[in-house]
Amino acid sequence: MSKVWINGKLFDKDDAKISVFDHGLLYGDGVFEGIRIYGGKAFRLDEHIERLYESARHIALEIPLPPERMSQAVLDTIRANAKIDGYIRLVVTRGAGTLGLDPKRCSNPQIIVIVDDIALYSAESYERGLSIVTSSIIRNHPNALNARIKSLNYLNNILAKIEAVRAGCQEAIMLNHNGEVAECTADNLFLVKRGILRTPHLVAGILEGITRNAVIELARAAQITVQEMALTRHDIYSADECFLTGTAAEVAPIVECDGRLIGNGKPGPITRQLREQFHRLARQ
Ligand code: PXG
């Protein structure tokens, strides 16, 4: 049975439990990370840990463990589960408190490390490319729940995901409060136009994806020009190529959006190149 790390102790999956008074459950008050394990190693662990602590800082949640020990907890849990390829869910909740929002009423944050298998898109999805739709649900306004925080409150994105699934799609584009392209429900978005790679700027109100950053680095190393800029649906519809990036999806081609074919309706050459390069990077 898989082992879950909670506050320094390993529990069998069935015994891994936290309080129903935890504000993570009651209010979505907490932060998390999703990390891939490739060949027994956590991919870009330092960056995930840094983002976790930044998310926590934004919500004024003091994590009662230094970052080095958090990293060690992740490595210990990978080892305890003898996981070679899989997925890590790192969660920090506000902890058990009283009914009422005040975080000061919460005693101790709960730190949870889950190691599991990763649910991937089918091989066919990568071969043929994904069809997606634009959601009517906009991404959180940066002055509401800022998208840079990877918080336990994903309802905004879940509402968009519900629309995607009802439209028979696996993902949806979320626009921001200005009607610009922001990101998908759990992935960042890229397009290719005349050989140039474009992706929404962080100020569009998106999560700074670790896969996104890796893909930008790979593209620049391959002499591909990368522009972080405001993008509209018009840019998506008229792109030569489009793809999404994320811990679970890696680099996944998008070939149709809102019923319009993108480019020639097949995964494009730059998408394929970056997907291969990302694979090499992840498995090196
Ligand atoms: N945008 C959002 C809103 C996300 O939640 C990404 C972009 C991509 O970021 P990374 O750092 O993964 O390249 C995410 C990532 C899950 C799960 O289990 C969600 C994510 C990642 C892994 C697992 O739902 N979100």
Side-chain angles (χ1 to χ4, degrees), residues 34 48 51 87 89 139 150 154 157 183-188 207 209-212 245-248:
H48 282 284
R51 189 171 67 182
Y87 174 66
R89 169 61 60 89
R139 196 69 175 88
K150 206 162 162 59
Y154 254 55
N157 300 44
E183 58 182 337
C184 294
T185 66
D187 299 287
N188 292 113
L207 184 76
I210 284 158
T211 319
R212 172 186 184 274
T245 65
T247 290

Side-chain angles (χ1 to χ4, degrees), residues 147-198:
R148 297 285 294 278
I149 307 168
K150 206 162 162 59
S151 87
L152 291 183
N153 198 319
Y154 254 55
L155 261 184
N156 182 231
N157 300 44
I158 290 166
L159 289 175
K161 182 80 175 187
I162 288 169
E163 283 192 346
V165 171
R166 291 208 169 143
C169 296
Q170 290 170 296
E171 256 298 357
I173 293 180
M174 301 182 78
L175 305 176
N176 70 10
H177 54 285
N178 293 321
E180 298 158 357
V181 173
E183 58 182 337
C184 294
T185 66
D187 299 287
N188 292 113
L189 198 68
F190 285 82
L191 61 81
V192 178
K193 186 70 177 176
R194 292 186 212 96
I196 294 173
L197 191 60
R198 296 190 168 135

Side-chain angles (χ1 to χ4, degrees), residues 218-219 222 224 268-278 280:
L218 288 170
I224 298 167
I270 293 182
T271 305
R272 286 172 179 277
Q273 178 191 334
L274 290 170
R275 174 162 171 76
E276 272 164 36
Q277 285 179 329
F278 183 79
R280 236 174 287 140

